[in-house]
Amino acid sequence: MKFESYKIFPLGIDALTIEFGNEISVELNDLAIGLSKYFENNNFAGFIETVPAYSSLTIFYDVFKVRKSFPEFSTAFETIRYFTENALYYARNTVKNEARSVEIPVDFSEEFALDLKFIASNNNLSPKKCVEIFTNRSYRV
């Protein structure tokens, strides 16, 4: 798995975000999910949770537990930054997300698809074509 660079920054006083880019990329999403799985399976004292997004991951932690458990670092953020950078090796080299398909029933009748005619009209399409465009692909969630 390749990625060009990443940014790590604090999100408030009790969270760290690592951003892998700002593009739609299955590869970057796999990296965020892989890193999340790593921390879920190898958490540290003070770990609360991870929240993966499309091309980033936020790690929430208890500042006081992190500081008490890892006094060799100057701040809780620096501690988690260190853990995150070390965990990147794992995420880069072992990510294998197992995809599964879930079929979600959708009702495009006038009763439920309240904006279908509006969307079709604004895009110079028929409602049938809008439905076709929407349903002819798989979505990653």
Side-chain angles (χ1 to χ4, degrees):
M1 172 165 299
K2 293 181 179 181
F3 65 97
E4 296 290 320
S5 62
Y6 59 89
K7 291 183 210 172
I8 294 180
F9 53 90
L11 187 64
I13 63 167
D14 59 355
L16 170 148
T17 296
I18 179 165
E19 185 177 86
F20 301 110
N22 61 358
E23 66 185 59
I24 295 175
S25 162
V26 171
E27 193 172 61
L28 295 181
N29 187 234
D30 282 346
L31 186 57
I33 291 168
L35 192 57
S36 176
K37 286 179 182 177
Y38 174 85
F39 279 111
E40 294 292 332
N41 294 324
N42 302 282
N43 53 48
F44 49 85
F47 174 82
I48 296 174
E49 70 175 333
T50 59
V51 179
Y54 209 87
S55 61
S56 66
L57 175 71
T58 298
I59 303 165
F60 290 90
Y61 52 89
D62 180 312
V63 174
F64 299 108
K65 285 183 183 174
V66 170
R67 290 293 296 134
K68 185 176 180 180
S69 300
F70 306 99
E72 64 272 22
F73 294 93
S74 59
T75 65
F77 173 79
E78 289 303 321
T79 306
I80 309 311
R81 173 193 282 263
Y82 175 80
F83 292 157
T84 301
E85 288 178 336
N86 285 325
L88 278 175
Y89 174 80
Y90 166 83
R92 278 190 214 142
N93 294 301
T94 61
V95 173
K96 299 281 187 273
N97 288 320
E98 293 180 25
R100 65 185 174 100
S101 291
V102 176
E103 196 166 311
I104 301 172
V106 181
D107 187 342
F108 291 103
S109 67
E110 285 189 37
E111 181 182 357
F112 295 104
L114 303 176
D115 58 355
L116 180 57
K117 286 183 180 177
F118 173 78
I119 291 168
S121 172
N122 275 2
N123 291 286
N124 297 317
L125 299 169
S126 69
K128 183 179 178 180
K129 185 64 177 175
C130 285
V131 170
E132 183 181 310
I133 290 169
F134 181 75
T135 58
N136 279 344
R137 66 171 304 223
S138 295
Y139 294 90
R140 184 178 176 101
V141 230

